[in-house]
């Protein structure tokens, strides 16, 4: 599915690249609603999708179309990823959560729905605890709230790669970004469980049967968030969006359209 609009927005020291998708029914409204790189008035029927570490918005290419029914779907390339620029600040989950906050202000988005996968899920949770009033629904998949949420074998492999990257990539301007991506996985995020209680919107917590995130860790996230539902996706690894596309699309669509989640 092709976007109806692709653009880059200035956020502090970077440009964030986004793509906006909509159904044929919404395209006419979009022409009226969107001008000069932003919505003319705050819109609430927006579904923002955040990719994982080292990816970009294209990872959701098979997932976008179903969500366009009634929504403007916006995929965001996180700082330094895809077509977004890197900037000079240290890459952290907290920083990228604030990038999202400022992007939504720049676009004039009102109360919206948010999906985050993997590191995108960590960004989404960080955003949600800081700006709970801005969300009408939240979906997180393969997320963790601290580095120990990753299974031991996977974390051990990351630590080996991280040690290598620290020696050979950290001080190499051409390869430093590879080190920073590993740093995000090894040393972030840092979300205190008590902060999850700040989230007031309905939340869908997803993980895979064969995820790299510890099941007990995902259980903790789901049990701590007040208004949450947890689903474990069978016969899937970490990227449930690719492994069980149709099932996951239907599951998420039913969740974001159930009840009054438009705020």
């Amino acid at each position: 599915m092709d976007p109806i609009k692709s653009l880059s927005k200035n956020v502090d020291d970077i440009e964030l690249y986004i793509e906006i998708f909509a159904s044929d029914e919404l395209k006419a409204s979009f022409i009226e609603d969107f001008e000069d790189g932003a919505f003319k008035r705050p819109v609430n029927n927006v579904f923002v999708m955040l990719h994982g570490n080292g990816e970009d918005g294209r990872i959701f290419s098979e997932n976008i179309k179903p969500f366009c029914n009634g929504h403007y779907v916006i995929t965001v390339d996180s700082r330094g990823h895809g077509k977004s620029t890197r900037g000079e600040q240290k890459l952290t989950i907290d920083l990228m959560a604030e990038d999202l906050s400022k992007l939504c202000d720049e676009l004039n988005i009102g109360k919206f729905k948010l999906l985050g996968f993997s590191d995108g899920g960590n960004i989404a949770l960080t955003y949600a605890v800081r700006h709970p009033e801005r969300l009408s629904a939240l979906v997180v998949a393969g997320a963790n709230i601290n580095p120990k949420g990753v299974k031991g074998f996977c974390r051990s492999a990351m630590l080996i790669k991280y040690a290598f990257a620290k020696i050979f990539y950290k001080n190499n301007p051409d390869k430093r970004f590879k080190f920073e991506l590993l740093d995000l996985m090894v040393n972030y995020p840092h979300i205190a469980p008590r902060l999850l209680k700040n989230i007031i919107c309905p939340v869908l917590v997803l993980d895979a049967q064969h995820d790299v995130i510890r099941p007990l860790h995902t259980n903790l996230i789901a049990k701590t968030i007040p208004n949450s539902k947890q689903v474990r996706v069978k016969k899937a690894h970490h990227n449930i969006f690719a492994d069980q596309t149709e099932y996951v699309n239907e599951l998420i669509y039913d969740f974001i359209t159930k009840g009054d989640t438009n705020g």
Side-chain angles (χ1 to χ4, degrees), residues 9-230:
K9 296 292 292 183
N10 290 326
V11 174
D12 290 338
D13 59 332
I14 63 168
E15 290 190 351
L16 283 179
Y17 177 77
I18 68 169
E19 292 185 342
I20 304 175
F21 301 83
S23 63
D24 290 339
E25 290 77 13
L26 272 181
K27 285 180 181 177
S29 298
F30 181 78
I31 294 173
E32 296 295 324
D33 290 343
F34 200 84
E35 185 176 80
D36 296 330
F39 290 97
K40 295 179 183 177
R41 55 179 177 79
V43 288
N44 297 328
N45 59 331
V46 171
F47 187 38
V48 177
M49 304 179 73
L50 305 177
H51 61 79
N53 188 295
E55 302 163 349
D56 58 42
R58 292 175 298 176
I59 195 173
F60 298 120
S61 60
E62 299 301 317
N63 311 104
I64 293 168
K65 188 173 182 179
F67 308 140
C68 288
N69 185 11
H71 301 97
Y72 294 120
V73 177
I74 301 178
T75 60
V76 183
D77 286 359
S78 296
R79 175 183 289 256
H81 292 68
K83 296 182 181 179
S84 293
T85 58
R86 164 67 186 83
E88 298 298 327
Q89 300 183 64
K90 177 178 169 56
L91 201 65
T92 68
I93 296 296
D94 291 340
L95 177 61
M96 290 190 282
E98 287 310 299
D99 288 342
L100 173 64
S101 178
K102 292 172 183 177
L103 173 68
C104 291
D105 289 342
E106 287 291 327
L107 290 171
N108 200 19
I109 294 174
K111 204 167 185 178
F112 68 102
K113 302 169 186 178
L114 176 62
L115 177 147
F117 165 57
S118 197
D119 261 7
N122 304 342
I123 295 167
L125 286 172
T126 302
Y127 177 86
V129 300
R130 292 182 176 185
H131 308 281
E133 75 287 350
R134 295 294 301 274
L135 296 179
S136 56
L138 173 64
V139 181
V140 291
N144 56 301
I145 57 174
N146 62 60
K148 293 182 179 180
V150 179
K151 287 180 178 177
F153 72 90
C154 183
R155 181 160 171 79
S156 296
M158 288 193 302
L159 286 169
I160 292 171
K161 292 180 181 178
Y162 179 73
F164 177 89
K166 197 170 184 178
I167 297 171
F168 295 101
Y169 293 165
K170 184 177 180 180
N171 297 315
N172 184 330
D174 295 330
K175 297 183 178 181
R176 180 175 172 79
F177 189 64
K178 292 183 179 180
F179 166 76
E180 292 181 329
L181 292 180
L182 286 166
D183 186 58
L184 284 178
M185 293 189 287
V186 169
N187 295 313
Y188 296 92
H190 301 289
I191 305 171
R194 61 180 174 78
L195 294 178
L196 296 177
K197 296 179 181 180
N198 291 348
I199 302 174
I200 56 178
C201 68
V203 180
L204 177 62
V205 179
L206 301 174
D207 64 340
Q209 183 179 6
H210 307 292
D211 214 320
V212 298
I213 306 298
R214 297 177 187 272
L216 288 177
H217 191 84
T218 305
N219 295 347
L220 171 65
I221 294 171
K223 289 178 180 179
T224 308
I225 297 173
N227 188 13
S228 70
K229 172 184 178 181
Q230 182 181 1

